[in-house]
């Protein structure tokens, strides 16, 4: 017997439900197939339009287009223009200099930047992201505010692309909103993307970065310190020195130590020596790299001691720093290798080429 609460459905209702489900499934499959067929037909049509014009596009990208070829591209209309504009945007990310300027000029004449600005408000995130990237590639300075607004886009891909495009614009005024995008526990944009964009802004952003080194948000301080080292902003050595002793966040401390190694000088070695003896491994690793960057005799002496560090990675970083410091550093590694003591392993790895080394000084 069935449960007393069970409800028996009439047979015809079950049949109707099955029919509706079947029809729905068939309709969905048909929609998918038709959409795919339509896309394939569209792609074939676009290829047919693009093929005869492809030599003109490649000539423009190579910087070899004559006036007649440029005029022909400028005169394109309708679907031909749309197809060629897509190709030009793709090429714009691969070329520099005069060819890039010519491509951007053709796109501007086609009104592509205006379409991109409009598409920043599209419903589809992929369309917004492509529009943001296009405006960056075209170096449209007038799009800065529109791109800044997209740093808070609900799509992470759009926000990330907007940040990268702001870097391409090279406008130092974008430094403040880029750093603001890092505030809070959940930054709107990944820190590495913001740092990449800030580095692209060049020395015009130095004032903003100097102030950001003392910001209340550790994400902002860390990004500013990393940018100081990557650019590098030698004029910000004093703000780095001022912030480092009282820094409470270990992640920011690491970035400040690395920055000091790049923009500092021999008089900063005592500070770095102190950090090279910290208990936290990441701090000792940063100090090893910074001492290697400065490369003075006192730094080499400490790096030789760090070859025997209890943490293998710290020892390896010290070995890499010694080799990058030039002939005397290599001699110290060879001595440690020959002695077979605590530092022999790291010295051996570097001297045998098993660790990557970039020699930065002689």
């Amino acid at each position: 017997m069935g449960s007393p609460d069970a409800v028996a459905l009439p047979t015809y209702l079950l049949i109707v439900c099955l029919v509706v489900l079947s029809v729905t499934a068939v309709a969905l499959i048909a929609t998918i197939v038709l959409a795919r067929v339509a896309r394939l037909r569209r792609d074939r049509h676009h290829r047919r339009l693009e093929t005869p014009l492809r030599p003109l596009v490649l000539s423009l990208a190579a910087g070899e287009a004559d006036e007649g070829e440029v005029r022909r591209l400028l005169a394109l209309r309708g679907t031909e223009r749309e197809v060629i504009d897509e190709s030009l945007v793709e090429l714009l990310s691969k070329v520099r200099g005069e060819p890039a300027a010519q491509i951007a000029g053709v796109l501007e004449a086609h009104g592509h930047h205006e379409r991109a600005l409009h598409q920043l408000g599209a419903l589809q995130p992929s369309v917004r992201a492509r529009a943001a990237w296009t405006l960056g590639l075209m170096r449209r300075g007038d799009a800065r505010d529109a791109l800044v607004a997209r740093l808070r886009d609900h799509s992470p891909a759009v926000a990330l692309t907007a940040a990268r495009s702001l870097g391409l614009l090279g406008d130092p005024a974008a430094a403040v909103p880029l750093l603001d995008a890092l505030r809070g526990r959940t930054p709107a944009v990944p820190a590495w993307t913001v740092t990449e964009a800030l580095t692209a802004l060049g020395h015009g952003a130095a004032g903003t970065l100097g102030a950001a080194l003392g910001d209340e948000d550790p994400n902002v301080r860390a990004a500013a310190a990393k940018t100081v080292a990557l650019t590098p902003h030698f004029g910000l050595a004093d703000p780095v020195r001022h912030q480092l002793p009282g820094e409470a966040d270990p992640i920011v401390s690491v970035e400040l130590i690395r920055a000091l190694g790049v923009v500092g000088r021999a008089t900063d070695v005592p500070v770095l020596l102190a950090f090279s003896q910290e208990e936290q491994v990441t701090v000792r690793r940063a100090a090893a790299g910074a001492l290697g960057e400065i490369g003075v005799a006192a730094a080499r002496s400490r790096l030789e001691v760090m070859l025997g560090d209890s943490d293998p990675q710290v020892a390896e970083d010290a070995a890499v720093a010694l080799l990058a410091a030039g002939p005397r550093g290599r001699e110290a590694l060879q001595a440690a290798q020959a002695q077979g003591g605590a530092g022999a392993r790291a010295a051996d790895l570097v001297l045998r080429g098993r660790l990557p080394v970039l020699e930065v000084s002689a």
Side-chain angles (χ1 to χ4, degrees):
M1 291 181 64
S3 169
D5 296 329
V7 178
L9 291 176
T11 304
Y12 76 89
L13 281 180
L14 293 174
I15 295 174
V16 169
C17 290
L18 288 173
V19 170
V20 170
L21 289 173
S22 300
V23 170
T24 302
V26 170
L28 287 172
I29 293 172
T31 301
I32 293 171
V33 171
L34 290 173
R36 182 173 179 80
V37 170
R39 186 170 65 252
L40 291 173
R41 292 181 62 184
R42 173 186 174 277
D43 291 345
R44 283 198 296 268
H45 178 59
H46 283 189
R47 281 195 296 271
R48 284 197 298 270
L49 293 175
E50 181 185 17
T51 299
L53 297 169
R54 190 66 177 169
L56 298 179
V57 172
L58 295 177
S59 180
L60 187 68
E64 300 173 354
D66 57 35
E67 291 184 7
E69 290 173 323
V70 173
R71 281 197 300 270
R72 186 178 175 191
L73 288 171
L74 290 174
L76 294 176
R77 295 291 184 272
T79 307
E80 272 189 331
R81 173 185 287 187
E82 294 177 9
V83 172
I84 293 305
D85 282 357
E86 289 180 7
S87 297
L88 290 176
V89 170
E90 290 179 6
L91 286 171
L92 194 54
S93 64
K94 303 174 184 177
V95 298
R96 297 289 184 272
E98 185 59 27
Q102 284 192 316
I103 291 174
V106 171
L107 289 169
E108 183 174 351
H110 287 175
H112 198 72
H113 63 290
E114 295 174 353
R115 290 197 296 276
L117 279 169
H118 177 72
Q119 289 171 344
L120 282 178
L123 292 176
Q124 303 94 328
S126 60
V127 175
R128 297 199 302 276
R130 181 174 177 81
W133 186 234
T134 298
L135 292 166
L137 290 174
M138 291 181 68
R139 307 303 197 269
R140 296 296 308 190
D142 55 351
R144 186 195 67 199
D145 292 342
L147 290 171
V148 166
R150 286 298 153 200
L151 290 175
R152 296 290 175 179
D153 196 283
H154 61 79
S155 167
V158 176
L160 184 150
T161 306
R164 295 185 64 194
S165 292
L166 285 168
L168 291 177
L169 296 186
D171 186 348
V176 171
L178 282 167
L179 289 166
D180 284 343
L182 292 176
R183 298 188 184 281
R185 291 189 175 183
T186 308
V189 183
W192 66 266
T193 306
V194 170
T195 302
E196 178 185 75
L198 290 170
T199 303
L201 299 183
H203 292 280
T208 301
L209 292 172
L213 289 171
D215 194 273
E216 62 181 12
D217 191 301
N219 294 331
V220 173
R221 297 199 303 276
K226 185 182 284 290
T227 306
V228 168
L230 291 175
T231 303
H233 288 282
F234 292 102
L236 295 180
D238 283 342
V240 171
R241 293 187 187 102
H242 175 76
Q243 182 65 28
L244 182 55
E247 179 56 57
D249 189 291
I251 295 176
V252 181
S253 292
V254 165
E255 297 301 341
L256 288 168
I257 291 168
R258 289 172 176 164
L260 189 59
V262 174
V263 302
R265 51 180 183 265
T267 53
D268 295 309
V269 168
V271 175
L272 296 175
L273 291 175
F275 280 107
S276 72
Q277 301 177 62
E278 286 286 329
E279 182 178 351
Q280 193 159 0
V281 171
T282 55
V283 173
R284 296 205 306 278
R285 287 190 59 185
L291 288 167
E293 289 281 352
I294 289 180
V296 298
R300 285 196 298 272
S301 299
R302 177 57 189 162
L303 288 170
E304 291 174 28
V305 174
M306 295 179 76
L307 288 175
D309 194 277
S310 59
D311 183 81
Q313 190 60 61
V314 174
E316 291 170 9
D317 286 351
V320 169
L322 278 170
L323 191 58
R328 293 185 180 178
R330 177 180 285 274
E331 291 173 3
L333 289 173
Q334 291 170 337
Q337 184 185 39
Q339 292 169 3
R345 174 189 169 278
D348 188 66
L349 284 173
V350 169
L351 291 173
R352 290 178 181 273
R354 296 178 185 175
L355 291 176
V357 177
L358 175 64
E359 296 206 17
V360 293
S361 60

